[in-house]
Amino acid sequence: MEPEVLVVGAGPGGCATGRALAEAGLRVTVVEEHQRGHHKACGEGVLATTFKSQGFEPGAPYVMGAVDRFSVTVHGSCVYDRRYPDVLGYTVDRSLFDAHMAHEAEAAGAKVEFGTSAGGFTATDGVINRIALRSSSGSTRTVRPKIVVGADGVASRVGRTAGLAGPLPPSDLAICVQTVVHGPVDEGHSRIVLGDFAPGGYAWSFARGPRCANVGVGVDTENARDLRGYLDAFLGSQDDLSACTKDELRFLPVPCGGLVPRLTGGNTVLVGDAARQNDPVSAGGILQAVDAGRMAAGTIVNAVSAEDLGLLEEYDRVWRKAHGGRYSFSMRLNKAVRRLPLRLLAPAAKAAFSMVKGDVFAIGHDDEERMSNALGRLG
Ligand SMILES: Cc1cc2nc3c(=O)[nH]c(=O)nc-3n(C[C@H](O)[C@H](O)[C@H](O)COP(=O)(O)OP(=O)(O)OC[C@H]3O[C@@H](n4cnc5c(N)ncnc54)[C@H](O)[C@@H]3O)c2cc1C
């Protein structure tokens, strides 16, 4: 039977949308071009407060490690280092986490088809009215869903077909290399390091349990040629990581240029990286995609029951009301940091961190104002 809603992409955003739609009784199919359990490049870090408030369990099998120390170093100068009395964050195994999300969607009644790629989109006046689904066995079928959810990641074909997202210019992308290292890593310590080995971006090491860390480097597209070299330079610069062995390297871009102008249009809704809802400073987007998917599902249910596609616009309004303020702040920070000359980066970061009264992961509106002003003065 034809799905009422087709969700393209079974990452966290697509699965969260599919699950919420199925729970509301809609006929929903989620298609994913990769096979179940596909490995995705990711830092795998999530904040404990958001993770728990979204209903995820710290004891779940996909949680690999807990983080209780966070530091930021800029050009060799430590600008922030804090040990937390409680757990600050977790590292999740992305393959297991995404598989869990897909399983939850299936348990709610969504059909999740792995190894199925959506293509051959036909749209009239921004309404996608035909989609070809090609399975890994080579068979193709056409579907005509009432509503299409683009949860298809950074290069969203759904977004481009619906006229919601243009192709990303290189300046709006960071290119990342990521791996997992094993050895004498500083347990529980997650760190961000800015310096010569991460031009236009940052290097990270996120604690992933005992003797294990998720590490990577993201750089601007102009510097993407020697990502392996940057990663090795970063690992060599860290006492505990230099002695570690690496798993295979994974490469993937992240969007860093800001939100798409509209989250909905015609019969289409964009969720997660497809809408570029990931944080413009950290680039983190796992839980952002989950949250957006659930919000989108709420408005889709209303639109289907009222048979009024115009109601989909409510998702745009609801998302901006919940996240627009913080997103704009992160975007201002992103732009200020990119404008700063390198020699001012460390003092600027120090000044910005010193403006935060409490924890940098729970900053309030006053902190935002002070940080924006500090960066503005230094820039
Ligand atoms: C190197 C790196 C490190 C990161 N580190 C972190 C981190 O530490 N913490 C964090 O929160 N976020 C991190 N992110 C960001 C995070 O991975 C994304 O924000 C998150 O995956 C977004 O989820 P999504 O569901 O929107 O998209 P995705 O997870 O990208 O899922 C989109 C899915 O759509 C599928 N797809 C695409 N086109 C089609 C098609 N035509 N047909 C069928 N399927 C299709 C893809 O195969 C993919 O599985 C990182 C990203 C990168 C690249």
Side-chain angles (χ1 to χ4, degrees):
M1 221 206 276
E2 283 274 308
E4 290 171 292
V5 184
L6 181 78
V7 180
V8 182
C15 290
T17 316
R19 175 184 170 171
L21 290 173
E23 280 171 346
L26 264 62
R27 219 165 41 249
V28 53
T29 297
V30 183
V31 290
E32 167 57 51
E33 62 190 359
H34 289 106
Q35 297 299 336
R36 199 187 286 267
H38 165 72
H39 286 277
K40 212 173 255 179
C42 185
E44 306 179 315
V46 291
L47 267 186
T49 44
T50 322
F51 188 69
K52 287 193 259 188
S53 71
Q54 291 194 359
F56 294 105
E57 292 290 336
Y62 49 78
V63 175
M64 307 310 287
V67 174
D68 63 4
R69 180 181 168 202
F70 179 71
S71 67
V72 180
T73 306
V74 183
H75 292 297
S77 166
C78 178
V79 296
Y80 187 85
D81 192 351
R82 183 166 176 187
R83 209 172 261 289
Y84 289 76
D86 299 316
V87 173
L88 169 67
Y90 301 102
T91 326
V92 295
D93 180 294
R94 261 313 283 277
S95 306
L96 295 179
F97 181 75
D98 285 18
H100 162 79
M101 294 294 295
H103 177 73
E104 295 279 288
E106 288 168 323
K111 191 169 173 200
V112 185
E113 293 185 30
F114 287 93
T116 300
S117 169
F121 298 95
T122 313
T124 311
D125 298 331
V127 174
I128 300 178
N129 40 34
R130 234 163 55 110
I131 301 167
L133 301 181
R134 175 181 289 272
S135 76
S136 47
S137 65
S139 66
T140 304
R141 72 184 201 274
T142 300
V143 288
R144 294 174 182 78
K146 290 179 187 161
I147 291 173
V148 182
V149 177
D152 49 344
V154 54
S156 180
R157 283 184 69 188
V158 173
R160 278 178 286 143
T161 307
L164 297 173
L168 274 170
S171 58
D172 286 356
L173 282 174
I175 312 295
C176 305
V177 57
Q178 176 267 323
T179 188
V180 170
V181 295
H182 306 268
V185 296
D186 188 9
E187 197 177 338
H189 182 190
S190 285
R191 74 200 85 161
I192 297 287
V193 184
L194 287 83
D196 296 334
F197 38 73
Y202 67 81
W204 74 84
S205 166
F206 294 164
R208 202 182 193 264
R211 299 185 63 80
C212 188
N214 180 311
V215 299
V217 175
V219 301
D220 55 34
T221 43
E222 284 169 25
N223 289 289
R225 274 187 314 276
D226 193 23
L227 269 175
R228 285 168 201 268
Y230 289 132
L231 180 67
D232 286 340
F234 165 58
L235 294 176
S237 75
Q238 307 293 302
D239 286 345
D240 57 336
L241 303 180
S242 58
C244 289
T245 56
K246 312 194 273 285
D247 286 351
E248 79 174 284
L249 304 185
R250 300 189 185 119
F251 299 84
L252 214 67
V254 281
C256 60
L259 200 64
V260 294
R262 286 180 302 135
L263 302 178
T264 69
N267 65 341
T268 304
V269 169
L270 297 185
V271 158
D273 277 14
R276 300 160 200 167
Q277 286 163 320
N278 62 321
D279 183 82
V281 172
S282 70
I286 301 171
L287 298 179
Q288 286 85 341
V290 171
D291 184 51
R294 290 171 179 166
M295 280 184 187
T299 59
I300 291 170
V301 171
N302 292 339
V304 170
S305 76
E307 297 189 8
D308 180 359
L309 290 178
L311 294 183
L312 292 177
E313 281 172 22
E314 179 68 2
Y315 160 56
D316 199 298
R317 202 189 59 73
V318 170
W319 187 88
R320 282 174 207 277
K321 188 165 178 227
H323 299 296
R326 177 51 53 87
Y327 190 96
S328 308
F329 167 68
S330 284
M331 205 57 225
R332 282 207 308 280
L333 214 56
N334 167 325
K335 285 188 176 150
V337 170
R338 284 175 182 222
R339 272 200 313 270
L340 276 179
L342 282 184
R343 68 191 164 77
L344 289 182
L345 206 51
K350 252 187 195 147
F353 280 124
S354 71
M355 298 288 147
V356 180
K357 290 276 182 264
D359 175 19
V360 291
F361 291 101
I363 60 176
H365 184 67
D366 291 352
D367 297 317
E368 286 182 4
E369 286 297 309
R370 282 191 291 273
M371 284 173 80
S372 297
N373 291 340
L375 280 164
R377 280 198 301 277
L378 279 161

